[in-house]
Amino acid sequence: MWTSVCLVLALSVLQATPAWAGGWNEPAQVLGLAWGAPVEAARQQFPGGRLSKETASTLAYTTAAHLDGIPLSASFQFVSEEGLQGVILRFPVHRLAEMIKLFERQYGLAPVRGNQQWRWEGTGVRISLGEYPSLRTSGHRGVAWFHTGALEAA
């Protein structure tokens, strides 16, 4: 039996450095939710999720989802006035190769890769995808993080 481990996806909207400009397709949305969308949009698209307060100015809406047939736990991160500013997706680490192929098909080849990590950085979005030790099990989990400067400041 495989050890159930999670992969976390994260997207970051931020000011890019010139070295990262161009060369890949930056996402304007994640799982159908556009950057800046309000919490209500996530509730409508993914009913039955759980809303929690992360910090004084951030909320997280967590729900089950899927991406191209891969089961996910999606945590949408909202900053008070800015709306959706980050997304973390968790999935079994044995699906990492599928996620890499899916991301490279969707966003282009990762400009930074190595040590079980793949990164895309652009003028508005940063994506990190990789495998990391799990805090909950003796196995590994992956992490890909989409976030914004507004999320970092919150």
Side-chain angles (χ1 to χ4, degrees):
M1 184 172 129
W2 59 277
T3 303
S4 178
V5 201
C6 292
L7 178 69
V8 181
L9 265 176
L11 280 172
S12 307
V13 178
L14 45 79
Q15 295 296 354
T17 60
W20 294 107
W24 68 291
N25 302 315
E26 292 186 51
Q29 53 82 28
V30 178
L31 297 177
L33 287 180
W35 296 115
V39 173
E40 294 75 29
R43 285 182 164 165
Q44 288 176 359
Q45 185 167 337
F46 300 99
R50 181 178 46 88
L51 187 64
S52 60
K53 190 169 188 93
E54 299 291 307
T55 70
S57 61
T58 61
L59 297 173
Y61 185 75
T62 304
T63 187
H66 68 280
L67 182 63
D68 208 35
I70 299 172
L72 307 170
S73 170
S75 179
F76 299 96
Q77 301 168 336
F78 299 88
V79 175
S80 312
E81 301 299 318
E82 290 85 6
L84 181 65
Q85 299 297 311
V87 180
I88 298 172
L89 304 177
R90 296 173 177 87
F91 52 89
V93 75
H94 74 276
R95 307 294 293 264
L96 178 60
E98 292 172 78
M99 289 298 288
I100 295 164
K101 287 180 186 174
L102 178 65
F103 273 47
E104 289 191 336
R105 187 171 64 238
Q106 182 74 25
Y107 306 122
L109 292 177
V112 179
R113 50 183 20 206
N115 296 328
Q116 294 295 353
Q117 296 182 20
W118 292 259
R119 290 195 323 248
W120 297 259
E121 297 183 32
T123 57
V125 177
R126 172 182 286 170
I127 303 173
S128 298
L129 174 63
E131 182 178 332
Y132 300 88
S134 174
L135 299 176
R136 294 186 179 171
T137 71
S138 61
H140 286 82
R141 67 177 178 174
V143 174
W145 182 28
F146 300 75
H147 71 92
T148 69
L151 184 63
E152 290 175 351

